[in-house]
Amino acid sequence: CLLPFAGQLLVSVGAALRLYDLGIKRLLKKAQSTVTRNAIVALRAHPHSPDRLFVADVQDSVCLVVFNHSTRGFHTVVDDALPRFTTAVHVLDDGDTVVAGDKFGNLFGLRVPDGVARTLDTDPSRLMYERPKLGSAAAHKWDSVAEFHVGDIVTSLTTCALASGSRQVILFTTLLGSLQVAVPFVSKSDLDFFRSLEMAIRRLAPPISGRDHRAYRSSFTPVRSAIDGDLCEQYFVLDYETREKISDDVDRTQQDIFKKLEDMRSMFAF
């Protein structure tokens, strides 16, 4: 993996990071540190700090690494408690949150703990030499903010607006060729409505295979902070009696539910 870093070239070689500068005739190695235990598969720069970067390991999820200019070394300050076989990673706008996918079809969001984020902004040297815990590479762990089993290997991730003036979404591709989006909720009323709709469809319109929907979306880690939009949109194709039961359960008319689903699509220019 290659990444421009502080006006120099950052290269991953196995589990190590190497920093190169441009000499007269060749590249000059300025720093080298081993930051993971296996092999690095992705490097992402921090959007607001030139000394921080996110490193994705082939087997040990994502870690936050800080560069010490005085010692010319890279230090891992935050890593994951779970072994995740990372395939794609993207840094969200605030720089303290990343979204990533693994080779078992999971999409997950990780965030730097608040206390660690404040220390990184004020005195990052305090975190560089803390003793790692539980045999890991860092003393601090990510806060898991979202977990969702997609069912297909995520191959790339980005944030974008699908049309001019629309809100940002997380756009990701999968190995089988699909393009999918993760849409952020901007109001609590919408969140409560779609959560109620998902629960009602899950209970009143179970799949013909008999498999539990929540168990499927929690195949590897329990689903959290995510609502299955594919399941909610099955409301369009259900028979009238089932739709009526679901509308009674969520205390809305069928027309209100149709309008909510269409509004969510048009809001993000689907």
Side-chain angles (χ1 to χ4, degrees), residues 234-251:
Q234 286 186 9
Y235 186 81
F236 288 114
V237 298
L238 296 174
D239 59 83
Y240 179 83
E241 290 77 11
T242 304
R243 291 203 307 266
E244 192 64 28
K245 292 179 182 178
I246 294 172
S247 63
D248 292 340
D249 190 82
V250 299
D251 197 21

Side-chain angles (χ1 to χ4, degrees), residues 2-220:
L2 306 175
L3 181 72
F5 185 77
Q8 298 172 317
L9 176 65
L10 186 64
V11 181
S12 67
V13 182
L17 289 176
R18 291 181 183 177
L19 189 63
Y20 289 95
D21 201 357
L22 187 63
I24 297 177
K25 293 185 177 181
R26 63 190 66 185
L27 291 175
L28 306 176
K29 186 168 68 174
K30 295 295 186 179
Q32 177 172 334
S33 301
T34 299
V35 296
T36 64
R37 291 183 292 184
N38 301 288
I40 297 171
V41 295
L43 297 173
R44 297 291 184 268
H46 193 283
H48 307 304
S49 175
D51 298 332
R52 304 179 213 168
L53 68 147
F54 300 91
V55 177
D57 186 83
V58 70
Q59 187 175 337
D60 284 331
S61 188
V62 183
C63 60
L64 175 61
V65 175
V66 178
F67 181 63
N68 190 335
H69 289 274
S70 60
T71 62
R72 309 296 294 177
F74 293 93
H75 301 268
T76 303
V77 296
V78 180
D79 66 356
D80 202 352
L82 295 177
R84 305 179 193 263
F85 291 69
T86 316
T87 57
V89 62
H90 181 71
V91 185
L92 298 184
D93 296 337
D94 61 356
D96 291 329
T97 308
V98 296
V99 59
D102 64 23
K103 75 173 188 178
F104 296 111
N106 299 306
L107 187 71
F108 54 93
L110 303 172
R111 180 172 295 154
V112 179
D114 292 338
V116 177
R118 287 192 295 268
T119 305
L120 284 170
D121 292 334
T122 56
D123 186 13
S125 60
R126 290 177 52 192
L127 301 172
M128 295 181 183
Y129 301 104
E130 291 186 348
R131 180 172 297 180
K133 298 177 181 178
L134 302 176
S136 63
H140 301 278
K141 302 299 177 186
W142 295 103
D143 287 338
S144 176
V145 294
E147 303 279 352
F148 188 76
H149 180 65
V150 178
D152 194 4
I153 299 175
V154 178
T155 56
S156 65
L157 285 155
T158 189
T159 51
C160 65
L162 299 179
S164 177
S166 63
R167 294 191 179 97
Q168 293 272 324
V169 298
I170 299 173
L171 176 67
F172 60 96
T173 62
T174 65
L175 186 65
L176 296 181
S178 66
L179 286 169
Q180 302 187 38
V181 293
V183 175
F185 284 102
V186 295
S187 68
K188 190 175 185 303
S189 60
D190 286 344
L191 175 62
D192 293 340
F193 167 78
F194 279 98
R195 180 182 288 126
S196 300
L197 180 61
E198 181 191 39
M199 293 175 61
I201 295 178
R202 185 187 298 146
R203 186 177 66 258
L204 299 174
I208 58 175
S209 64
R211 186 174 187 181
D212 182 71
H213 172 266
R214 181 180 290 274
Y216 171 68
R217 294 303 185 189
S218 307
S219 294
F220 291 88

